[in-house]
Amino acid sequence: MTAGTDTPTTGTEQTRIHLDPFVSDLEGESAALRAAGPLAAVMLPGDVPVWAVTHHAEAKKLLTDARVVKDINVWTAWQRGEIAPDWPLIGLANPGRSMLTVDGADHRRLRTLVAQALTPRRVERMRARITELTEGLLDRVAAHDGDVVDLKAEFAYPLPMYVVADLMGLAEERLPRLKELFEKFFSTQTPPDEVIATLTELAGIMADAVAEKRAHPGDDLTSALIAASEDGDQLTDQEIVSTLQLMIAAGHETTISLIVNAVVNLSTHPDQRALVLSGKADWSAVVEETLRWSTPTSHVLIRFATEDIPVGDKVLPKGDALIVSYAAIGRDEQAHGPSAGEFDITRETTNRHIAFGHGPHVCPGAALSRLEAGVALPALYARFPGLDLAVPASELRNKPVVTQNDLFELPVRLGA
């Protein structure tokens, strides 16, 4: 993480915090963002200036402020043509029309139709399948040859991908290519000539899935989205394509990081691991404290101000872009007390985090992600109670993804 001085749109000289495209020190970067105040001037990879909300209380206010919208056409830099179509993060900033990118009545319409498909009953029905997948993957881990296992590759990655494939009705043979495409989609290092091709291919796969389910509907979320209606109003194919892409991207990446980060946290805090393994703390507390302390989503792109909005002693200017820096927000001492920087599964404020968002755009897949982690983690440690990192935590490598708190791999030893 480096810092430079640029002039924000207010004309006031500010120090902009340049987000490191290689995410070499997320913890230090997050501390710098919090120290800059609740509204920090930030430079995204690709030299795109934005603002970041970095404190808990101000984030909750902005996430429910009708003057902060998801319509990219409000962004002055976009209007001026200053955002390149091959910017590596363009797929996150402008992912197509879905409930993620609209507000007000349009958002309520799309969210209601999606809610008709992604019901609590449908999520709970996934429990047995998640348990079955978990046990099968743990059998593979147990049969692994060698002293060291990459737990991400063998367990934390395939579980959410198999779950999302089941949920969406996607054929498993699509998953290897989707893995490659989503890695390019999220990465800050995707070559410019591959950005548009990646987005086009992802949309094509989703469109093919929708066409298949229109012809042969099943008991899956894609078919339910096609059938969902409100007063005769149905989602268009483009809305379904964008919604599927959003839910697959957010659904699997968040859960992968949640499982990985929980294992790292327990390995680096053996006292906390002892509490949960002895039954003195609940696995739900591990999940919630991981969501707060090492949130799977570092920064969420992107919202835009329709008018000047005071935030602390600064102003979010009309037409400027805002990101929500959840990695910084999760350790805000004003929200979580002086021990906010400590991983503590016994803390009383665990459930006050906003790692899944807040307000109208709160993550619709939060319950599913919690369910997956809540099944996977106790099963993992029941099978391998001596599981520990195979390398020092300082040697774990972050992926070059500014939106996700994600690792390349998670080498572990399974223990006796």
Side-chain angles (χ1 to χ4, degrees), residues 19 23 26 29-30 33 53 92 100 186 246 249-259 261 290-303 323-331 353-357 361 363 366 369 398 401-407:
L19 298 190
V23 198
L26 179 59
E29 185 174 88
S30 298
L33 287 167
V53 58
L92 293 162
L100 179 69
F186 283 105
L246 158 68
H252 84 279
E253 284 289 343
T254 298
T255 308
I256 293 166
S257 297
L258 175 54
I259 295 171
N261 293 346
T290 296
L291 286 166
R292 180 197 72 84
W293 192 75
S294 50
T295 179
T297 305
S298 310
H299 310 282
V300 167
L301 279 56
I302 198 165
R303 291 168 166 81
I323 66 174
V324 185
S325 294
Y326 287 106
I329 291 165
R331 300 193 189 185
H353 68 77
I354 54 170
F356 284 116
H361 287 279
C363 176
S369 186
N398 286 87
V401 179
V402 297
T403 56
Q404 301 298 129
N405 183 6
D406 197 7
L407 299 176

Side-chain angles (χ1 to χ4, degrees), residues 269-352:
H269 298 82
D271 58 326
Q272 304 287 297
R273 182 175 57 195
L275 284 174
V276 72
L277 292 184
S278 68
K280 295 178 181 178
D282 293 333
W283 281 103
S284 61
V286 175
V287 171
E288 297 307 320
E289 182 68 345
T290 296
L291 286 166
R292 180 197 72 84
W293 192 75
S294 50
T295 179
T297 305
S298 310
H299 310 282
V300 167
L301 279 56
I302 198 165
R303 291 168 166 81
F304 313 98
T306 59
E307 60 183 77
D308 289 353
I309 303 172
V311 182
D313 61 353
K314 298 177 185 174
V315 172
L316 173 62
K318 177 181 179 180
D320 273 17
L322 176 75
I323 66 174
V324 185
S325 294
Y326 287 106
I329 291 165
R331 300 193 189 185
D332 181 1
E333 291 187 3
Q334 294 179 3
H336 303 290
S339 67
E342 300 173 12
F343 179 76
D344 179 6
I345 61 176
T346 68
R347 75 171 60 246
E348 295 180 0
T349 61
T350 294
N351 63 349
R352 297 182 189 172

Side-chain angles (χ1 to χ4, degrees), residues 91-375:
L92 293 162
N94 189 30
R97 181 180 171 82
S98 73
M99 62 183 179
L100 179 69
T101 57
V102 296
D103 299 282
D106 281 343
H107 175 262
R108 287 190 293 275
R109 165 186 168 262
L110 292 172
R111 181 109 186 179
T112 298
L113 292 171
V114 169
Q116 290 177 11
L118 189 62
T119 62
R121 179 178 295 181
R122 182 181 293 274
V123 170
E124 183 56 33
R125 274 169 38 198
M126 295 294 294
R127 181 182 294 275
R129 180 59 174 151
I130 292 168
T131 301
E132 178 187 2
L133 288 168
T134 295
E135 294 301 329
L137 289 169
L138 290 177
D139 287 344
R140 280 175 32 185
V141 171
H144 182 83
D145 290 331
D147 186 39
V148 176
V149 178
D150 180 356
L151 195 67
K152 179 180 177 183
E154 299 296 331
F155 181 66
Y157 174 79
L159 176 61
M161 281 304 288
Y162 286 143
V163 169
V164 82
D166 272 15
L167 181 66
M168 302 293 183
L170 295 175
E172 284 191 12
E173 56 263 28
R174 294 189 188 273
L175 298 186
R177 183 55 181 162
L178 283 173
K179 178 179 185 293
E180 297 172 356
L181 291 170
F182 276 118
E183 285 182 349
K184 293 181 179 181
F185 177 84
F186 283 105
S187 177
T188 62
Q189 302 304 300
T190 300
D193 61 347
E194 295 182 19
V195 170
I196 295 175
T198 296
L199 297 175
T200 301
E201 187 175 350
L202 273 172
I205 291 174
M206 298 301 112
D208 287 346
V210 172
E212 290 168 7
K213 290 301 176 180
R214 280 203 184 277
H216 305 287
D219 184 18
D220 54 72
L221 187 59
T222 304
S223 299
L225 287 171
I226 293 169
S229 63
E230 181 183 41
D231 298 328
D233 180 20
Q234 292 185 314
L235 293 162
T236 67
D237 277 8
Q238 183 54 54
E239 289 169 340
I240 296 173
V241 164
S242 295
T243 298
L244 285 179
Q245 184 168 315
L246 158 68
M247 297 184 75
I248 294 170
H252 84 279
E253 284 289 343
T254 298
T255 308
I256 293 166
S257 297
L258 175 54
I259 295 171
V260 166
N261 293 346
V263 171
V264 173
N265 293 344
L266 293 176
S267 296
T268 53
H269 298 82
D271 58 326
Q272 304 287 297
R273 182 175 57 195
L275 284 174
V276 72
L277 292 184
S278 68
K280 295 178 181 178
D282 293 333
W283 281 103
S284 61
V286 175
V287 171
E288 297 307 320
E289 182 68 345
T290 296
L291 286 166
R292 180 197 72 84
W293 192 75
S294 50
T295 179
T297 305
S298 310
H299 310 282
V300 167
L301 279 56
I302 198 165
R303 291 168 166 81
F304 313 98
T306 59
E307 60 183 77
D308 289 353
I309 303 172
V311 182
D313 61 353
K314 298 177 185 174
V315 172
L316 173 62
K318 177 181 179 180
D320 273 17
L322 176 75
I323 66 174
V324 185
S325 294
Y326 287 106
I329 291 165
R331 300 193 189 185
D332 181 1
E333 291 187 3
Q334 294 179 3
H336 303 290
S339 67
E342 300 173 12
F343 179 76
D344 179 6
I345 61 176
T346 68
R347 75 171 60 246
E348 295 180 0
T349 61
T350 294
N351 63 349
R352 297 182 189 172
H353 68 77
I354 54 170
F356 284 116
H358 181 70
H361 287 279
V362 67
C363 176
L368 180 60
S369 186
R370 284 185 166 105
L371 174 60
E372 290 179 64
V375 169

